[in-house]
Amino acid sequence: MATVGISNPKSRLRLLLLEEHGIGEDPTVWEMDYDGGALPGDPRHTPEKLHKWLTSKKICPCEPRKMAETDLARKMEELSRSNRELEQFAYVASHDLREPLRMVATYTQLLAERYRGKLDRNADQYMEYATDGALRMQALIQDLLDLSRVGREGGKKQSIDCDAVLEEVLRDMSSSIRDSGAIIQHEKLPAVTADRCYLLQLFQNLIGNAIKFRAKAPLEISVAAEAEGKYWRFTISDNGIGIAPDCQENIFTVFQRLHARTEYPGNGIGLAICKKIVEQYGGKIWVDSKPGTGSQFKFTLPAGQPCEQGAS
Amino acid sequence: MQGAPEILVVDDNPADAVLVRESLAETSHQSHIYSVTDATEALAYLRRQRKYQMTARPDLVILDLNLVHRDGHKFLTVIKSDSGLRQIPVVVFSSSESLSDITRSYLLGANCYVSKPADLKRYFSAVRAIEEFWFGYASLPKKENDERSSCARIAD
């Protein structure tokens, strides 16, 4: 028995004839580009007739490896297309959701402002819940937009001096660093190939987390980098509350939070953004941590051109 | 400034026009607010065509970018290339925070770009700040109908 399939991967019709020899044997696959010319007879022709026609045209069966390659290429193409569609979907959904949600949020606020204390106590409470829900959803949508932007806009690939990036982040965060009493130490950091804005976000999220999840002891954060082939491996260490081993994988997933919102604020998007940024450049991000002793966040990024002497 | 300010709100969402109205309900300027929901209607209003023949020319236009038939940018292009209308200040008031929308609006001659804040209090204060700036501090050109009436007075 044989199966005939026609697929259309690149606007060119492709004719596939699978011949099964017997149980356990690999089928022979006939594959040819079909240019739209006449097929041998009726489309409902028997596989036997087709086979005869293919051999008469001296069309040989495909090699299994070549078949696998075309198959792989096709799957890759499909995957990157569906990925693109997903990015687009996340962006459009979050962008278009913002507008009606703004209406819900402002009008529940307006209701609460105008009618607080004029209905009954339940009504006041309900309006508060509705406003709170709308405002939280707004924050979530903003986060989703930020996350989808990382992949969609395709960051630049430039050689960026991480020393300057970290200095800028520390300057931007100076008030929360001061308030937390954190002592931050760092070695001279190398240059990597990435987008400057993404790097700012990456360092800011990781240092921001170290500050947010600090323990009672005075907070100490250190930033270091080590060469690892064509990559640099960065380590951001803290002496904060740490993360239980079984949660260490989860923390990089969108909207995964390990603590109650009342304990630590935030939506659980920061590390998901970090992961997306690092992976966009072929790097990895992970954490080594012991609850009670602190965390070491590590990530790798491709090396950039070394900084010019005297530029520092 | 003679008389109460006239403001035209062009926004496809009537709920937004209500919010602008609410924002300015208790300010000292006592602005008159008119609202239309699409660009065609807005142009008819500004050109005093059809049912708008007797309306006063607005002192300020507050424009949303997401209009249905013609988008806000196109509307901006039309009024800023109309010699009779281009002196009317246009404040773009949009929920878009994208840099391309902002840049494009200024390139097309918008006088100001303000993003609609998502929080009610900030929304109110943004609209009040727009009103206060244009009618409390800025000097505005004479309106066409004002000129006509002053000419008539001189002729008398």
Side-chain angles (χ1 to χ4, degrees):
Chain A
M1 281 307 288
T3 329
V4 179
I6 294 175
S7 63
N8 187 6
K10 273 185 193 164
S11 81
R12 267 183 108 179
L13 269 177
R14 192 161 281 198
L15 193 69
L16 247 113
L17 178 68
L18 286 164
E19 254 187 309
E20 286 170 41
H21 301 300
I23 297 165
E25 276 181 67
D26 281 341
T28 313
V29 179
W30 300 78
E31 198 178 28
M32 58 169 291
D33 286 327
Y34 170 62
D35 57 3
L39 272 176
D42 195 76
R44 286 161 295 168
H45 44 49
T46 60
E48 287 73 23
K49 262 194 202 162
L50 248 182
H51 186 275
K52 216 170 146 192
W53 178 75
L54 285 167
T55 20
S56 75
K57 296 256 175 196
K58 295 204 175 80
I59 295 165
C60 304
C62 291
E63 283 168 44
R65 212 192 65 177
K66 202 185 145 212
M67 250 280 292
E69 276 169 7
T70 2
D71 222 38
L72 192 67
R74 204 173 298 155
K75 278 197 179 123
M76 285 290 285
E77 198 182 313
E78 230 164 75
L79 203 66
S80 72
R81 201 207 55 234
S82 86
N83 220 6
R84 271 200 308 276
E85 275 175 7
L86 215 61
E87 294 283 354
Q88 189 66 17
F89 172 78
Y91 179 76
V92 169
S94 35
H95 202 261
D96 290 358
L97 280 175
R98 251 154 57 120
E99 195 46 28
L101 189 59
R102 187 174 61 79
M103 282 294 113
V104 176
T106 38
Y107 272 93
T108 42
Q109 282 178 287
L110 188 59
L111 262 179
E113 193 168 282
R114 292 285 153 84
Y115 297 97
R116 188 177 293 123
K118 290 183 182 158
L119 304 169
D120 59 17
R121 219 185 314 150
N122 278 343
D124 287 355
Q125 184 83 78
Y126 298 164
M127 287 189 287
E128 206 174 291
Y129 289 156
T131 313
D132 184 53
L135 293 180
R136 227 165 54 210
M137 191 156 160
Q138 265 174 343
L140 288 174
I141 284 179
Q142 186 56 49
D143 285 346
L144 270 184
L145 261 172
D146 290 346
L147 182 69
S148 80
R149 211 167 271 151
V150 172
R152 204 174 41 86
E153 282 171 6
K156 291 179 201 139
K157 280 187 182 173
Q158 289 173 328
S159 183
I160 307 287
D161 174 19
C162 287
D163 233 24
V165 169
L166 185 64
E167 286 300 336
E168 192 173 337
V169 167
L170 296 182
R171 228 180 6 254
D172 287 348
M173 301 179 81
S174 60
S175 71
S176 63
I177 291 171
R178 207 175 36 240
D179 293 348
S180 64
I183 296 164
I184 302 179
Q185 290 178 320
H186 69 93
E187 323 173 330
K188 175 111 186 71
L189 298 179
V192 296
T193 306
D195 184 306
R196 202 176 144 274
C197 294
Y198 287 171
L199 284 178
L200 283 169
Q201 205 170 4
L202 183 63
F203 279 104
Q204 188 166 330
N205 287 358
L206 291 174
I207 290 171
N209 274 358
I211 292 175
K212 196 200 285 185
F213 298 104
R214 62 183 183 269
K216 283 197 179 118
L219 176 60
E220 285 171 27
I221 302 171
S222 67
V223 184
E226 246 179 286
E228 197 181 88
K230 286 180 178 170
Y231 281 72
W232 283 99
R233 190 180 68 227
F234 291 79
T235 307
I236 298 181
S237 315
D238 65 55
N239 58 345
I241 58 170
I243 303 152
D246 56 333
C247 299
Q248 291 177 7
E249 189 95 342
N250 281 348
I251 53 170
F252 296 100
T253 316
V254 183
F255 297 147
Q256 280 289 328
R257 312 179 69 260
L258 303 180
H259 307 274
R261 207 174 291 279
T262 44
E263 244 181 312
Y264 295 97
N267 292 327
I269 196 101
L271 289 175
I273 289 179
C274 290
K275 185 170 189 245
K276 213 167 164 188
I277 291 172
V278 168
E279 286 180 353
Q280 192 169 358
Y281 296 101
K284 276 188 221 151
I285 185 166
W286 69 100
V287 66
D288 290 335
S289 177
K290 255 193 207 160
T293 45
S295 305
Q296 291 188 309
F297 278 89
K298 298 182 181 186
F299 62 87
T300 56
L301 280 174
Q305 302 292 323
C307 305
E308 278 173 37
Q309 285 294 320
S312 55
Chain B
M1 168 118 227
Q2 286 183 334
E6 311 269 349
I7 301 175
L8 176 67
V9 176
V10 189
D11 198 313
D12 69 329
N13 184 0
D16 255 307
V18 170
L19 281 181
V20 172
R21 220 177 271 276
E22 288 283 348
S23 313
L24 302 181
E26 283 156 25
T27 64
S28 59
H29 294 287
Q30 297 182 310
S31 300
H32 292 159
I33 296 152
Y34 301 90
S35 55
V36 291
T37 52
D38 65 66
T40 319
E41 206 64 15
L43 278 178
Y45 189 102
L46 292 173
R47 292 177 173 150
R48 279 179 271 168
Q49 292 161 341
R50 304 204 309 259
K51 62 177 175 181
Y52 301 114
Q53 280 171 18
M54 301 306 288
T55 53
R57 177 87 146 267
D59 300 290
L60 181 73
V61 175
I62 295 182
L63 170 70
D64 178 32
L65 289 179
N66 307 316
L67 300 178
V68 223
H69 299 301
R70 268 189 265 185
D71 71 343
H73 283 126
K74 273 189 202 149
F75 173 75
L76 202 52
T77 315
V78 173
I79 58 168
K80 287 301 178 188
S81 50
D82 183 321
S83 59
L85 301 178
R86 73 162 74 107
Q87 72 273 32
I88 304 173
V90 177
V91 172
V92 175
F93 192 45
S94 165
S95 52
S96 165
E97 286 165 16
S98 93
L99 195 60
S100 69
D101 274 340
I102 297 169
T103 312
R104 203 163 152 224
S105 299
Y106 281 110
L107 282 175
L108 294 175
N111 300 79
C112 174
Y113 191 109
V114 179
S115 293
K116 284 178 185 168
D119 175 75
L120 182 73
K121 284 204 177 80
R122 287 185 49 77
Y123 190 104
F124 276 11
S125 61
V127 178
R128 284 174 193 151
I130 292 170
E131 188 195 46
E132 182 58 22
F133 173 76
W134 287 102
F135 303 114
Y137 292 93
S139 303
L140 295 172
K142 259 190 173 178
K143 280 201 274 187
E144 197 190 80
N145 45 345
D146 291 347
E147 271 165 31
R148 215 183 286 148
S149 57
S150 58
C151 287
R153 233 173 285 139
I154 292 163
D156 280 346

